[in-house]
Amino acid sequence: MNRPMFSFQATSGSLEGGLSDTKGAISCLHFCLVSSAKYDVEDSTLLVETQQLGLPAPSAEALTAAFANARERLRETLMKRSYQVNRLQSVEWRVDHVIASSQRREQAEPTGPRRELHLKFVVDNSTPVGASSERGAACEELAMLMTEDKFQVLQFELRKAKAQMAALNS
């Protein structure tokens, strides 16, 4: 997507205050437009707010008209860029019964058999839900190994988080 380059120097020459004031004004307008799209503000409200910020009426009307024409595209872009949770593609697991290990002697752990849980998650880090992407293009494999005790702690914490989320939804 080719956008025309914006020249702060050319714009600041026509305004009082210079380059930093121009950048500040543009940042303010950017914030107003993004917030208006994000919170679905009516055109009349945007017009009044921009005039209260000191934008002359003809400029505020032109800005509001341009915003009204581009509102849906701006909202779609904001939705695509919003926080999205990665999608879990698959989970693989296995439990190993370890009878003896050379590492255990070095760590001075109690002797005896122990269980180890191997987990492998495949997570899709690609584009947000609804956007087109090729499967596997941005998939990441996450592997971990944990003892039975650590798994019990993880399971307890996950159940607690699930209960808290269920309480929020009811």
Side-chain angles (χ1 to χ4, degrees):
M1 175 186 209
N2 293 334
R3 289 193 281 177
M5 293 298 294
F6 181 81
S7 172
F8 285 108
Q9 285 79 13
T11 306
S12 63
S14 63
L15 297 175
E16 300 173 18
L19 182 61
S20 64
D21 287 348
T22 302
K23 286 182 179 182
I26 290 172
S27 295
C28 178
L29 289 173
H30 177 267
F31 176 78
C32 289
L33 292 173
V34 169
S35 296
S36 296
K38 182 178 178 181
Y39 297 109
D40 203 20
V41 172
E42 293 180 16
D43 297 342
S44 59
T45 305
L46 178 62
L47 179 65
V48 170
E49 294 294 329
T50 53
Q51 286 179 347
Q52 287 179 351
L53 288 172
L55 199 63
S59 298
E61 290 169 1
L63 180 74
T64 303
F67 174 76
N69 291 336
R71 174 193 308 266
E72 289 308 313
R73 287 186 308 233
L74 183 56
R75 287 182 60 82
E76 288 173 14
T77 301
L78 290 173
M79 289 290 282
K80 288 179 184 175
R81 292 183 182 173
S82 69
Y83 176 73
Q84 297 288 327
V85 177
N86 297 339
R87 290 169 284 179
L88 184 63
Q89 295 293 329
S90 67
V91 177
E92 295 177 19
W93 62 275
R94 77 173 194 264
V95 177
D96 291 343
H97 294 276
V98 179
I99 297 172
S101 170
S102 60
Q103 290 180 341
R104 295 187 83 188
R105 289 185 200 122
E106 294 169 5
Q107 297 172 356
E109 290 183 12
T111 59
R114 71 172 198 263
R115 288 183 228 155
E116 291 181 341
L117 177 66
H118 296 262
L119 292 170
K120 185 170 93 173
F121 302 100
V122 178
V123 180
D124 186 0
N125 293 327
S126 64
T127 57
V129 177
S132 61
S133 70
E134 291 184 24
R135 190 183 182 286
C139 287
E140 177 182 4
E141 287 188 7
L142 304 168
M144 64 178 70
L145 168 71
M146 66 179 71
T147 63
E148 184 178 4
D149 293 335
K150 287 182 181 179
F151 175 72
Q152 294 294 333
V153 171
L154 175 66
Q155 186 181 32
F156 174 78
E157 292 294 329
L158 288 173
R159 284 183 176 163
K160 196 164 108 176
K162 183 180 178 182
Q164 288 176 349
M165 290 171 57
L168 289 174
N169 288 335
S170 57

